[in-house]
Amino acid sequence: MLPRYHTVKQAGEHEIIIQKSRFIAHIKRTESEAEAQEFIQTLKKKYWDATHNCSAYLIGENDQIQKANDDGEPSGTAGVPILEVLKKRKLKDTAVVVTRYFGGIKLGAGGLIRAYGKAASEGLDAVGIVERRLMRVCHVKIDYSWLGKIENELRSSIYILKNIQYQENVEIEVFVEEENQPAFTEWMIEMTNGQADITAGDVTYLESDN
């Protein structure tokens, strides 16, 4: 699992007009090729009357699945520019379909490349980008006498306070990046004079706006 990567925040769409042609960018997070293909086919059915439904997607930790489709536009003028936008922004697990309704003015190869790239880029801006960081949920059990100090220190640290459970002892759940786990454990032990019980829990991705 990657320590961190960028992807789209949410599914959405964004429309622009270029030389009387409508370009509608549809964007979705897709974590498998099957999911990306389903997304594309759904939009092709929905926009069956469009002149073109061009698409591209990047999937996998190492971008091992990359596809671009011009859907009838001149070769290399639609799908590839969309894919290049995804690569330039270093996005993962992302699919984009740009639907075009021809407005009567031909754009030429260069114009098409710029138009599809612009539609994809502005669509990504509209839906937003997030950073996903791989985090370990660490469980810290302490006596109530330590709660005020620990909570204050955590809130001003690089670690992220997830939850506090008030039971016989206090159990604090903290998001810690995997690489920082040894340092976090050492910090907690030092701060509580060795009186904290620290256990490592599940690994999960935490998202934050880019």
Side-chain angles (χ1 to χ4, degrees), residues 141-174:
K141 286 185 180 179
I142 53 171
D143 184 81
Y144 276 87
S145 60
W146 292 106
L147 178 58
K149 179 182 180 180
I150 298 297
E151 184 176 355
N152 286 336
E153 291 289 340
L154 279 172
R155 292 191 187 281
S156 60
S157 73
I158 61 170
Y159 309 111
I160 300 168
L161 182 59
K162 181 189 177 197
N163 189 35
I164 300 177
Q165 295 183 34
Y166 302 95
Q167 299 172 1
E168 184 179 343
N169 288 312
V170 184
E171 183 171 330
I172 303 173
E173 295 177 324
V174 185

Side-chain angles (χ1 to χ4, degrees), residues 130-148:
V130 291
E131 182 182 50
R132 303 192 84 210
R133 290 184 292 157
L134 191 63
M135 308 292 262
R136 175 77 65 177
V137 180
C138 289
H139 301 265
V140 181
K141 286 185 180 179
I142 53 171
D143 184 81
Y144 276 87
S145 60
W146 292 106
L147 178 58

